Amino acid sequence: MSTLHSNLLVTGGAGFIGANFVRAHLAHDPTARVVILDALTYAGNLGNLEGIDAERCTFVRGDIRDTPLVCDLLRQHQLRALVHFAAESHVDRSILGPDLFIETNIVGTHSLLKATRLVWLEEEAGAHRFHHVSTDEVYGSLELRDAAFTESSPVRPNSPYAASKAASDHLVRAYHETFGLDAVITNCSNNYGPYQLPEKLVPLLIVNCLLGERLPVYGDGLHVRDWLHVQDHCNAILLALRKGVAGETYNIGGENERTSLEILRLVVSAIDHAFERDASLATKYPQCPAAAGRSCAELVAFVRDRPGADRRYALDITKARRELGYCPHAIAGPKFEAAFRDTVRWYMANDSWWKSVMDGHYREWVALNYNNR
Ligand code: NAD
Ligand code: DAU
């Protein structure tokens, strides 16, 4: 890899995908160095970075809206490429309070664009790369019969979160068109894997099964998402850094469309079977129904849906396959179910991690989101 793509500023690197990406990048490129800029909001956690070689990874606690700080980091560490993960990322939170989403996702992204324009275009022209990580939610919702979204599908975001990400995508594109910033956008589908905060569906279901708490299913549970292993996503970003063309957008999906109920059944069956095979789990998780020989399915509770809930997301990944050589499951293994069971096992084995992130603030949020549903 060239130094351009080896040494990176990674925003939001203490979050779920950012931390997985830092690990993947450092493992993939032995010469790589990373500077992480992360505000450590409720979603950021230094525990996600445990075990990473501090010689190769500098952590800076700071806000992406602090443009002078970003300029200083780019200059001081001579960084010419950036991967931008930092965001408010949870749809439910954007429904309860959109303001922070506007601040972080739109104003924050614009702050990074201003800093990179100043340092990379005005002070020291040369090769550079701004990689913006975005979401399939910007395209809005599909009916079951509709074809998957392509990169030229209209942008029709439905939640404040999705709208804020769409706005940030537009700003990145505009900085490319207007100022010549070398920028690439990837829009990906629902990630799952290690280090995901248990406010998102997959880890929430796993942790609630283990703690014997209810499994909240929004609406009829038939909303469809395209589930993507976080390692496949990180691999796609690494490919896009090297092969992505400035000004282009690439859809990154897992080609794994599943309803929430199908995901729930996978979680329940993985946990029920694990308890049958390993008697020590009953001692570790005595509140889990499987500890008493019952199925975790008894915890299912249908609750009120999100207002404006998107029915289905699906991504057409032809362009990323053709132009980047992207292939989902290249890392996670050939079968979605196998990768998914590995994820469930990771949470069963790493209870100290998820217990540490489920602090008082987390509990307050759960009460706010779920109590009146
Ligand atoms: P996350 O919520 O787990 O982590 C976000 C990180 O950003 C945290 O470490 C947080 O501390 C940091 N952060 C928030 N505001 C900040 C600020 N003002 N300055 C600096 N750091 C700040 O998010 P995630 O799930 O890892 O998602 C990462 C990116 O990928 C986001 O841009 C999200 O929109 C996008 N995305 C996520 C998914 C998914 O399934 N999780 C899917 C598609 C796209
Ligand atoms: O599609 C990409 C997006 O995926 C990302 O841009 C977001 O950052 C990420 O949070 C995720 O958004 P979703 O809203 O799709 O993910 P979430 O895990 O919150 O919900 C997935 C589905 O599960 C959705 O239909 C709502 C449902 N759900 C969710 C929760 C938290 C439930 O039924 N019960 C729940 O408790």
Side-chain angles (χ1 to χ4, degrees):
M1 255 194 204
S2 70
T3 326
L4 171 66
H5 304 130
S6 276
N7 297 340
L8 299 174
L9 179 63
V10 177
T11 73
F16 161 50
I17 306 175
N20 277 286
F21 174 79
V22 169
R23 286 175 195 280
H25 178 53
L26 294 179
H28 183 248
D29 176 357
T31 66
R33 297 267 187 286
V34 162
V35 177
I36 294 175
L37 174 62
D38 197 299
L40 295 183
T41 66
Y42 81 93
N45 176 11
L46 288 178
N48 296 0
L49 301 169
E50 228 163 59
I52 291 179
D53 181 357
E55 295 280 305
R56 301 175 65 202
C57 179
T58 305
F59 180 82
V60 178
R61 184 172 190 175
D63 197 308
I64 53 169
R65 290 170 296 177
D66 186 346
T67 317
L69 170 66
V70 179
C71 290
D72 284 349
L73 292 176
L74 297 176
R75 291 187 194 111
Q76 185 193 336
H77 297 273
Q78 297 177 319
L79 297 164
R80 305 202 59 90
L82 169 162
V83 184
H84 175 33
F85 294 97
E88 286 297 326
S89 69
H90 192 34
V91 173
D92 285 325
R93 288 179 188 261
S94 82
I95 295 168
L96 288 171
D99 297 60
L100 193 53
F101 287 71
I102 307 306
E103 273 300 317
T104 303
N105 299 355
I106 306 178
V107 178
T109 301
H110 189 233
S111 161
L112 292 175
L113 289 165
K114 284 192 293 182
T116 50
R117 179 185 172 205
L118 179 67
V119 177
W120 292 344
L121 297 174
E122 293 177 7
E123 289 176 7
E124 27 168 293
H128 59 271
R129 170 58 57 85
F130 188 116
H131 186 102
H132 179 58
V133 179
S134 190
T135 170
D136 57 3
E137 299 206 14
V138 300
Y139 299 120
S141 187
L142 290 168
E143 297 296 328
L144 281 184
R145 62 178 181 279
D146 291 340
F149 295 120
T150 68
E151 289 79 357
S152 49
S153 295
V155 172
R156 288 195 179 120
N158 291 319
S159 70
Y161 162 69
S164 68
K165 291 297 289 187
S168 68
D169 294 7
H170 288 317
L171 283 168
V172 173
R173 192 174 171 279
Y175 265 65
H176 168 72
E177 293 294 329
T178 307
F179 302 117
L181 190 75
D182 179 324
V184 164
I185 302 173
T186 43
N187 293 81
C188 78
S189 58
N190 286 60
N191 285 220
Y192 66 96
Y195 301 109
Q196 186 170 31
L197 200 70
E199 63 177 3
K200 309 284 167 63
L201 183 67
V202 171
L204 179 112
L205 293 177
I206 299 171
V207 164
N208 282 14
C209 279
L210 297 174
L211 296 178
E213 291 177 12
R214 69 176 182 158
L215 307 178
V217 178
Y218 293 176
D220 59 8
L222 297 179
H223 305 74
V224 177
R225 298 290 183 264
D226 171 7
W227 295 93
L228 170 69
H229 195 280
V230 67
Q231 285 189 49
D232 282 326
H233 181 201
C234 295
N235 188 36
I237 295 171
L238 291 174
L239 287 166
L241 273 173
R242 283 186 283 130
K243 299 185 187 174
V245 175
E248 292 295 320
T249 291
Y250 301 91
N251 284 348
I252 309 297
E255 295 188 325
N256 269 309
E257 286 189 54
R258 308 280 160 143
T259 64
S260 308
L261 279 177
E262 285 174 297
I263 293 296
L264 183 145
R265 279 194 281 269
L266 281 172
V267 169
V268 163
S269 127
I271 293 181
D272 286 352
H273 284 114
F275 274 68
E276 279 165 22
R277 282 192 307 269
D278 180 353
S280 72
L281 288 172
T283 315
K284 189 170 179 186
Y285 301 113
Q287 307 300 328
C288 178
R294 304 191 309 273
S295 171
C296 293
E298 71 179 47
L299 299 171
V300 171
F302 286 86
V303 300
R304 195 158 41 87
D305 205 353
R306 286 174 179 156
D310 286 334
R311 194 61 172 166
R312 174 178 165 237
Y313 307 139
L315 286 177
D316 182 331
I317 59 168
T318 309
K319 182 177 173 185
R321 277 189 186 280
R322 189 182 57 233
E323 297 182 19
L324 305 180
Y326 167 64
C327 174
H329 312 304
I331 295 172
K335 284 209 163 79
F336 168 69
E337 277 80 5
F340 198 85
R341 276 195 299 273
D342 279 351
T343 298
V344 176
R345 273 195 285 274
W346 187 88
Y347 285 88
M348 287 197 289
N350 288 280
D351 54 313
S352 57
W353 177 83
W354 50 262
K355 283 176 182 155
S356 76
V357 298
M358 290 164 62
D359 57 6
H361 179 93
Y362 174 87
R363 292 280 166 205
E364 274 168 37
W365 149 254
V366 167
L368 195 64
N369 191 40
Y370 291 99
N371 278 0
N372 295 316
R373 272 200 130 101

